[in-house]
Each structure stands twice: as structure tokens, then as C-alpha cells.
Amino acid sequence: MDQTSVFDFVLRKNADLVSFALGLPNPDLFPVAELTAAVDAVFKSPGDVYQYANPLEELREHIVRLMAMRGVTCAPEQIVLTNGAQHGIDMAVRLLCGSGRPIVLEEITYTGALSAVLAGDTPVHTVGTSGSLARAVAGLVGAGVRPGAMYVMPEGHNPLGVSLPGPERRALAELAREHAFTLIEDDAYGFLQYDDEPRPALRSLEDRWVFYVGSFSKVISPGLRVGWIVVPDALVDQALVVKEASTLEVATPGQHIVARLLDGWDLAAHIGVLRREYALRRDVMRRCLEEVLPAGTPFSRPDSGMFFWVELPEGVDTGELLKVAASEYGVSFVPGDLYLSGPVQAKRNYLRLSFSCVSPAEIEAGTERLGRLLRDRGIA
């Protein structure tokens, strides 16, 4: 099932549809009053807000302090502002994988990373998603592959709903350092950790060979389209050239609005609210899936991010199942084949469920419908 067909099913207007499909932050948790005040303040004294402008230094200084919350020490000069995380991923691929150097992807990975890679002619090598990721990459390098980069989402993996343990992160950082390839760390969900003391970013372990991609989309609002990359010192000038070629600069109003918001607002306290609210929804979905899925069905137990990954029995086509689910049972999800590459690309029995944009009551209703659909279809 292609992406256009999926969106047709998950975006259609239906008041009774419970959507576990799109991984959107919950609009009920946006800081609307604080954003409104920031917008009013910015446009009352517009200054350069309507004009082309250099990156807002005040915003970059805020990001330096924000990065410290992820265990990362950096300077404002290393921060390049982007139009969200997707722009940062695209810049990283263009910057690091020229001259035919390949990129390493997991067999199951974020569709935005796949799109950024497949838009060009970068050679791709895939590694499996089960077992040790570092060991799989070491096997590739040992077989003679010399990557320019590897895309990795250590925290709240989209779509797998897993996070890399500390030893795996250290092993990946050591591999990158030893074999001179850059890890593109997508940390879009890094602030959304729920159970234990938050794990620091991969870049906290290695600053020369980690290209960090961050965004305000999941912690403030995606509509602002403000993100950033933390670039190794040796690549800053090249990153600025790539950015100018693609977008000149991040929209000036968005930069000013985020900077003004962060001037007098406790973002750390807001992140605490997000963690609490998303953890509640995560816990409800985990309990409900344990109740409604056929016994023994593998599914992830996320401790960060927004997603559950479910593996139904071989032979089930979740793209076809979605059509029935949305039209007859009032529940939607994303078929897993959209995230697949390499040897697993032909598999059709995975699905991704997002818990972020639904209430606990909707989660209970939607998972009940999903369970009924599976029982009616004889899937066990």
C-alpha cells in the first residue's frame, strides 16, 4: 500500500474514526496562551521580523542551554537552524554522502530518512533491527563497506518504539570514531522519555562524528517549523553552504517567536507535563494491547516517543487490513511496509500505532475495535 493510499484512509473526515495513524503531538498540550503572547510581542515590535535576516543569535543561545538538558556541550556557532528535523536530516544526507559514499540505514526506519536518501543517488546498505545494531554495523565495515554516514534514532525510534541502551550507543560512537563515518542522530523524541532518568543524547558521547538533529516540533509546536542541527566543527562552513542552497534561512517570524517564548517560559516544566501526559496514554495503550491482541503477538514496549510496533502473523497484509479497519471498524493505523527497506521490504504484516493524539478513552475504544477486527478476520 503506497503512502498516498494510506493518507487517504487515515486523513479522511470521520467523527467516529479513532486514528492511531499519524504521529502528531497532541494539540491539547500546545502552550497556546504562551505562544499567543510571544506572537503578539514579536509583531508589536517587528524590527527585522518581516525581512531576510541572519540566524537569530538569541535563539541559538537558548538552544545551547536546551542541549545541556540532553547532556550535550556545544557553542552557538555549531548550531545551524533548520525548518524542522526533516530539513536537518536532508541537509545531513546531502553533506555527508557525496562522492558516492554510502549511507547505512536500519531495515525498519523513519520514512522521512528513507525519502531524504532515496531522493538522491546515495548508495544504501541496510542492517537488521533485531539484536545488536553496533555488531551489525561492525559486520558491514568488516566486509569492506566504508560508509559516509549512518542514520540512527536512538530515542523513541519511529516506527519501532524502542530506544538504544547505553552500551549500544557507546559501541556505535566508538565505531564511528574508529572508521571515520558520521552518525546522523535524529533526536526528535529525545525529550519524551517516560520511565527512568532521561538518557543523554548520542552526541554527548562523541562530538566529532555525531551530527545531531533536533526540533521544537514535539515539545512546542510543529507548525512553527523551527529545528536545528549541531554540526561538528569541521563541517560548519559546509553545512551553511548546503543550507543556503536549499532554503536561504529559516523563516524569521518563527525564530523570533520561539526565542521570545523561551525568554520567560519554563520549557523544562512543560516537558515534564508532556512526559506525564504521554506516559499515561502509553500505559493505557500497552494495557489494552495486552488484552486485545492475539496471544503471543510481538509488540514493542516503548519507554519514550509516541509509537507501538506490532508484528502480526506472516501472511497478514496490514495495508489491506487498514481499508477494512477504517471503513468498517472505525480505527486506523499505519501499515508497516512504508518503513521497510532491504531484505524485509516485502513483508506486509507489521503495523504502527501512535498514542500521542488520542485520549485514554479513545485508546480503549480504538484498541477494542482493532481486537474485534482481528478476531473477525481469524487472525491469531
Side-chain angles (χ1 to χ4, degrees):
M1 193 174 195
D2 63 36
Q3 194 161 354
T4 302
S5 300
V6 169
F7 286 167
D8 179 58
F9 277 96
V10 301
L11 294 177
R12 60 178 55 184
K13 301 298 183 182
N14 181 345
D16 191 46
L17 180 71
V18 176
S19 176
F20 298 140
L22 298 180
L24 303 176
N26 196 313
D28 293 340
L29 301 176
F30 293 163
V32 174
E34 293 85 355
L35 276 171
T36 300
V39 170
D40 287 347
V42 166
F43 285 99
K44 281 179 180 175
S45 303
D48 293 332
V49 75
Y50 296 110
Q51 185 57 279
Y52 292 117
N54 291 324
L56 188 61
E57 189 65 18
E58 180 185 358
L59 178 55
R60 297 203 292 181
E61 290 171 356
H62 276 301
I63 292 171
V64 167
R65 292 188 285 272
L66 187 61
M67 291 307 306
M69 294 171 61
R70 299 291 295 121
V72 174
T73 301
C74 59
E77 295 75 24
Q78 294 175 287
I79 293 168
V80 178
L81 299 179
T82 65
N83 292 299
Q86 182 63 39
H87 182 209
I89 295 167
D90 181 70
M91 283 180 60
V93 171
R94 294 171 60 189
L95 183 62
L96 299 169
C97 297
S99 304
R101 293 194 72 186
I103 188 169
V104 178
L105 300 175
E106 293 175 81
E107 290 177 340
I108 305 175
T109 195
Y110 171 51
T111 54
L114 278 173
S115 298
V117 171
L118 297 178
D121 56 0
T122 302
V124 178
H125 290 273
T126 59
V127 291
T129 54
S130 59
S132 168
L133 188 59
R135 191 176 303 121
V137 176
L140 268 184
V141 174
V145 175
R146 293 294 177 262
M150 177 183 179
Y151 170 82
V152 61
M153 188 180 286
E155 205 62 62
H157 189 291
N158 180 7
L160 289 175
V162 297
S163 297
L164 278 181
E168 280 288 298
R169 299 179 193 220
R170 289 190 289 273
L172 276 178
E174 289 168 7
L175 277 170
R177 189 161 47 239
E178 180 181 356
H179 297 285
F181 66 90
T182 302
L183 297 167
I184 303 171
E185 178 182 16
D186 183 349
D187 199 41
Y189 302 97
F191 291 99
L192 302 181
Q193 301 181 44
Y194 308 127
D195 297 331
D196 302 310
E197 189 68 21
R199 292 169 289 267
L202 184 59
R203 187 176 166 88
S204 69
L205 303 172
E206 171 57 51
D207 58 7
R208 170 64 183 87
W209 297 104
V210 176
F211 190 112
Y212 178 98
V213 180
S215 174
F216 290 107
S217 292
K218 304 302 187 294
V219 296
I220 298 179
S221 162
L224 293 169
R225 305 312 303 141
V226 180
W228 69 93
I229 50 181
V230 183
V231 184
D233 284 329
L235 296 175
V236 170
D237 289 344
Q238 296 175 61
L240 291 173
V241 170
V242 170
K243 176 183 175 178
E244 183 174 356
S246 64
T247 190
L248 287 182
E249 190 48 76
V250 173
T252 311
Q255 294 185 51
H256 281 268
I257 290 166
V258 174
R260 182 61 65 95
L261 176 69
L262 296 178
D263 280 344
W265 179 58
D266 191 343
L267 177 59
H270 178 66
I271 289 172
V273 172
L274 296 179
R275 287 174 173 160
R276 184 170 62 251
E277 291 293 331
Y278 287 137
L280 170 64
R281 289 159 173 78
R282 184 275 313 264
D283 292 344
V284 172
M285 180 168 279
R286 181 168 57 193
R287 171 179 58 79
C288 290
L289 290 177
E290 289 170 348
E291 294 172 354
V292 307
L293 290 177
T297 300
F299 69 94
S300 59
R301 268 73 173 178
D303 63 1
S304 57
M306 297 179 171
F307 309 106
F308 283 83
W309 183 252
V310 180
E311 181 178 359
L312 295 177
E314 293 282 351
V316 175
D317 185 330
T318 56
E320 293 302 312
L321 199 65
L322 172 62
K323 300 175 185 178
V324 179
S327 61
E328 299 181 22
Y329 288 80
V331 62
S332 66
F333 50 81
V334 178
D337 60 290
L338 296 181
Y339 304 93
L340 307 184
S341 60
V344 300
Q345 195 165 6
K347 293 177 72 69
R348 295 289 181 268
N349 57 313
Y350 297 119
L351 61 88
R352 191 198 75 173
L353 303 170
S354 175
F355 55 84
S356 57
C357 240
V358 279
S359 68
E362 288 172 320
I363 292 171
E364 291 176 344
T367 51
E368 188 280 327
R369 296 173 189 182
L370 179 62
R372 182 156 40 88
L373 165 65
L374 297 178
R375 291 192 300 272
D376 291 349
R377 306 278 287 193
I379 297 172

